[in-house]
Amino acid sequence: MTHYTGLINRYRNRLPVGANTRIISLNEGNTPLIQLQNIPRMIGKEVDIYVKFEGLNPTGSFKDRGMTMAVTKAVEAGSQAIICASTGNTSASAAAYAARAGIKAFVLIPEGKIALGKLAQTLMYDAKIIQISGNFDRGMTLVKEVADHAPVTIVNSINPFRIDGQKTAAFEIVDALGFAPDYHCLPVGNAGNITAYWKGYKEYATDRVCGNRPVMCGYQAAGAAPFVLGEMVDNPETVATAIRIGHPQSWDFAWAAQRESGGWFDKFADEDILAAQKMLSQYEGIFCEPASATSLAGAMRDIKSGKIPEGSKIVCTLTGNGIKDPEIAMMQCADAKPVTIDASLDAVKRAILDGL
Ligand code: AN7
């Protein structure tokens, strides 16, 4: 058993790094693929649902897969600073990998619209945080403009190395199962991840590592659903702040993934997203962030309706860790406040009997 040292080393022959490239890694990737046991029974259909729990990456989201590549290549090219716009997870990841590399990270975030844990992380990793009175899409525009005027490397998913890193999640799924799933469900915001998964699945199928490719199902929040509406959204709104994005950068790539795989996009009310997040926690012991639960909300709806038929093998990507957004969790559980009792044996006994 050799020590796992991150996804670049694991998939080195499929990534654009050389023998002498200095790898900037936090041992990201290698995340668990967990088969759901209780929720399929509750749905009442014969399906295998697996979740790829990307919340267990070093900074708690799938962004680390892309960031190890993007920062490795930025450093290789001599860059001293990276920059991104972010709804929170990209900023945390960029900040961590910049710290690891010993370079500077600048992050543009929409003021008041990123989850508390993501802000705390980004502060701890010591990035230069620039809050703007505008949303992610505005931040993205500004980042693209400023990169022409300052010595900074953009590490948003318009950076192709991000996509290369993130495609390894598809490799891991096929390597774990021995085949590609029939359906791959994931949340879609800026659309880098659906682009990356499709690239990974296609690459493995082309090289005959597996014989099949999944149908790609992209799910969005109803208030931020440009792919469902077929046009950009100027004022996106959703409780799932990670995917509060109206002008996705990987627009054409995501449509290609949908078309080539025979897949579809759909949208979900905030209540449905939060209900799926709670179900995963309550019935499977898996705590993901709200945006991530959109994948399960989608899978459940499409399994129930028969759009995803019985007998299917389904993978849902859980893109980020629930601990990142404690405020939403506390709001969801507002009616389940901890009981407070005397510190006595009797009182504890009574509390247990009451709770059984
Ligand atoms: C938890 O951090 O865009 O469709 O700036 O954090 O590849 O954008 C986050 C996106 C899904 C959507 N789930 O992925 C950012 C950012 C979580 C996310 C998405 C994001 P893409």
Side-chain angles (χ1 to χ4, degrees):
M1 184 68 183
T2 51
H3 176 53
Y4 179 81
T5 54
L7 60 84
I8 293 180
N9 280 333
R10 177 159 180 199
Y11 293 108
R12 190 174 260 280
N13 59 340
R14 295 185 175 278
L15 293 169
V17 290
N20 297 321
T21 306
R22 176 187 163 209
I23 308 298
I24 310 299
S25 172
L26 291 162
N27 295 13
E28 57 296 307
N30 200 24
T31 56
L33 185 68
I34 308 165
Q35 185 165 8
L36 299 188
Q37 295 183 339
N38 300 314
I39 289 175
R41 215 173 40 234
M42 293 165 71
I43 299 173
K45 300 272 193 180
E46 277 299 325
V47 285
D48 289 339
I49 308 177
Y50 300 84
V51 295
K52 181 71 170 159
F53 193 16
E54 292 288 281
L56 295 182
N57 273 298
T59 78
S61 88
F62 72 98
K63 303 288 182 183
D64 296 342
R65 289 184 187 276
M67 209 54 73
T68 184
M69 270 304 304
V71 175
T72 290
K73 295 305 282 188
V75 168
E76 187 176 52
S79 182
Q80 294 294 317
I82 57 174
I83 190 167
C84 65
S86 180
T87 57
N89 279 326
T90 302
S91 65
S93 188
Y97 284 81
R100 185 78 164 168
I103 62 173
K104 275 196 162 39
F106 296 91
V107 306
L108 266 73
I109 57 172
E111 186 181 11
K113 295 291 184 180
I114 84 165
L116 186 63
K118 301 174 190 178
L119 186 59
Q121 289 179 283
T122 309
L123 287 163
M124 284 299 288
Y125 297 133
D126 206 27
K128 312 298 165 209
I129 301 180
I130 303 164
Q131 298 201 67
I132 61 165
S133 52
N135 61 25
F136 168 85
D137 301 307
R138 181 72 192 128
M140 194 65 243
T141 302
L142 288 167
V143 161
K144 287 195 283 188
E145 285 172 9
V146 82
D148 292 335
H149 300 277
V152 287
T153 303
I154 299 178
V155 294
N156 283 102
S157 55
I158 57 172
N159 178 329
F161 298 124
R162 278 277 312 277
I163 304 297
D164 276 326
Q166 286 172 215
K167 75 180 178 182
T168 61
F171 298 163
E172 287 180 16
I173 290 166
V174 174
D175 290 344
L177 295 175
F179 49 80
D182 301 311
Y183 295 86
H184 190 110
C185 304
L186 77 172
V188 173
N190 211 22
N193 214 25
I194 191 169
T195 300
Y197 271 98
W198 187 236
K199 185 174 186 190
Y201 282 127
K202 279 201 300 191
E203 188 176 320
Y204 256 22
T206 300
D207 293 348
R208 308 308 279 161
V209 181
C210 55
N212 64 318
R213 309 185 308 193
V215 172
M216 300 298 294
C217 308
Y219 301 119
Q220 304 206 279
F227 287 105
V228 183
L229 302 176
E231 62 184 17
M232 301 293 179
V233 172
D234 283 339
N235 291 300
E237 265 316 333
T238 169
V239 69
T241 51
I243 51 172
R244 188 173 168 273
I245 295 171
H247 287 243
Q249 297 296 310
S250 294
W251 180 255
D252 293 338
F253 290 127
W255 281 112
Q258 176 270 325
R259 213 175 38 245
E260 292 168 19
S261 74
W264 57 82
F265 296 106
D266 202 353
K267 61 180 166 41
F268 294 82
D270 282 355
E271 302 80 64
D272 297 335
I273 294 170
L274 293 179
Q277 184 200 19
K278 186 66 168 60
M279 277 184 79
L280 263 173
S281 302
Q282 184 174 2
Y283 299 117
E284 301 285 355
I286 300 168
F287 183 25
C288 68
E289 67 172 283
S292 309
T294 311
S295 62
L296 181 71
M300 288 196 299
R301 179 190 285 174
D302 290 335
I303 291 165
K304 282 182 194 155
S305 75
K307 197 169 181 180
I308 294 178
E310 287 199 87
S312 296
K313 298 187 190 312
I314 302 142
V315 171
C316 295
T317 302
L318 301 180
T319 44
N321 199 304
I323 300 171
K324 283 173 172 278
D325 201 340
E327 290 171 310
I328 293 293
M330 292 308 282
M331 183 202 78
Q332 286 235 55
C333 301
D335 296 335
K337 284 273 156 54
V339 291
T340 305
I341 56 161
D342 284 344
S344 72
L345 179 58
D346 250 14
V348 175
K349 255 166 60 184
R350 229 177 304 123
I352 290 170
L353 292 175
D354 283 350
L356 282 175

